[in-house]
Amino acid sequence: KALSLDLVNVFLKGGGSLDPKSVKKKPHAWIPDKCWLDLVAMSQHKSFADIVESINVNEKLWRAWYDKEAPEAARVPDFEDRVNSFERMCIVKALREDRTMVAAQTYISEALGERFVESVPLNMEHTWGESTPYVPLICLLSPGADPTKLIEELAKKKKITTVGVSMGQGQEIIARRLMSVATQMGQWVLLQNTHLGLAYMAEIEVYLLKAENLHTDFRLWITAEPH
């Protein structure tokens, strides 16, 4: 079933455009201000027209749902039998944004199929095989996932020297020196936590776009948190 644009906007925008002073006061202190704005915005959609009233009248049920470790898997007070998985995800995002990704996996699995949410192990060697000296390999960091060891093990297997630096204030000088040598000697450079050195990333982009005759074995590996 196709989603309506209005419903998609409820999910994407929430109450971001609302002025806190322009909406009625939240009925319960346990509801965070941002959540309240999102709920008010949701109530403007027909699927959630009475959600504010429901939370006001059935506070204990909603508070219990809100406090659950995995609310996305629990029955939604007053709405359980009348919302689909996408609408459930909207409610989860409004009140427990930290559980949105889990709810999204359920929706995607139902709408598109289980294979679209299955985790696929990264084949670092295959990734390296598709790379070139002129295009960095960027690895996004997530809790418990750090590709540094995989990169170092692959370099050892390929008998290529790896040099690196964790970015931060003043580390650009070291990074420039490593890049200067590695591009000529065919080494790998690992720049870690580059979200702490975004200005240098812009410099790297220009450098690689203008670079000529880089050593064929040179590779630039970049790790960063989503920014």
Side-chain angles (χ1 to χ4, degrees):
K1 182 181 178 180
L3 298 173
S4 70
L5 180 59
D6 287 344
L7 190 57
V8 173
N9 283 332
V10 167
F11 176 74
L12 294 178
K13 297 180 179 179
S17 62
L18 295 180
D19 181 354
K21 297 179 180 179
S22 68
V23 302
K24 62 181 180 180
K25 185 179 179 180
K26 62 184 181 182
H28 311 296
W30 57 267
I31 304 176
D33 292 343
K34 181 183 181 303
C35 293
W36 177 241
L37 292 177
D38 288 345
L39 289 169
V40 172
M42 284 179 63
S43 68
Q44 297 172 13
H45 188 278
K46 61 182 181 180
S47 296
F48 312 104
D50 58 339
I51 193 167
V52 170
E53 180 183 357
S54 173
I55 292 175
N56 192 31
V57 174
N58 297 316
E59 178 194 3
K60 290 184 178 180
L61 290 176
W62 279 101
R63 179 63 188 271
W65 182 88
Y66 175 84
D67 286 336
K68 287 183 179 295
E69 183 176 342
E72 74 285 346
R75 291 183 61 85
V76 183
D78 292 340
F79 284 79
E80 179 64 28
D81 299 324
R82 53 174 164 138
V83 293
N84 56 36
S85 57
F86 188 88
E87 291 167 338
R88 173 189 291 271
M89 183 172 62
C90 290
I91 296 174
V92 171
K93 182 174 183 288
L95 276 168
R96 283 290 303 276
E97 190 169 12
D98 60 304
R99 303 297 297 177
T100 305
M101 286 295 293
V102 182
Q105 288 181 326
T106 300
Y107 168 69
I108 293 171
S109 178
E110 292 182 5
L112 300 177
E114 188 70 26
R115 66 190 181 95
F116 287 94
V117 296
E118 292 177 346
S119 178
V120 180
L122 175 63
N123 186 322
M124 195 65 79
E125 186 166 2
H126 180 72
T127 302
W128 164 79
E130 295 182 342
S131 66
T132 76
Y134 299 89
V135 181
L137 296 102
I138 302 175
C139 304
L140 296 180
L141 300 174
S142 60
D146 186 344
T148 300
K149 185 177 180 180
L150 293 175
I151 295 170
E152 292 175 342
E153 289 177 348
L154 180 60
K156 185 177 180 180
K157 180 180 178 181
K158 300 298 178 182
K159 297 181 180 180
I160 296 177
T161 300
T162 301
V163 294
V165 61
S166 182
M167 298 304 294
Q169 188 173 4
Q171 299 306 302
E172 296 88 348
I173 297 173
I174 298 175
R176 291 188 190 102
R177 184 169 68 247
L178 296 178
M179 286 288 294
S180 177
V181 174
T183 53
Q184 301 303 313
M185 300 295 293
Q187 300 171 345
W188 288 0
V189 175
L190 174 57
L191 300 181
Q192 298 172 286
N193 301 315
T194 55
H195 53 281
L196 302 178
L198 293 178
Y200 183 62
M201 292 301 96
E203 181 181 322
I204 283 287
E205 180 180 12
V206 174
Y207 175 84
L208 291 176
L209 286 172
K210 294 182 177 180
E212 297 180 359
N213 302 319
L214 296 180
H215 195 291
T216 55
D217 288 339
F218 165 73
R219 293 294 187 276
L220 173 59
W221 298 83
I222 292 173
T223 71
E225 293 181 2
H227 192 278

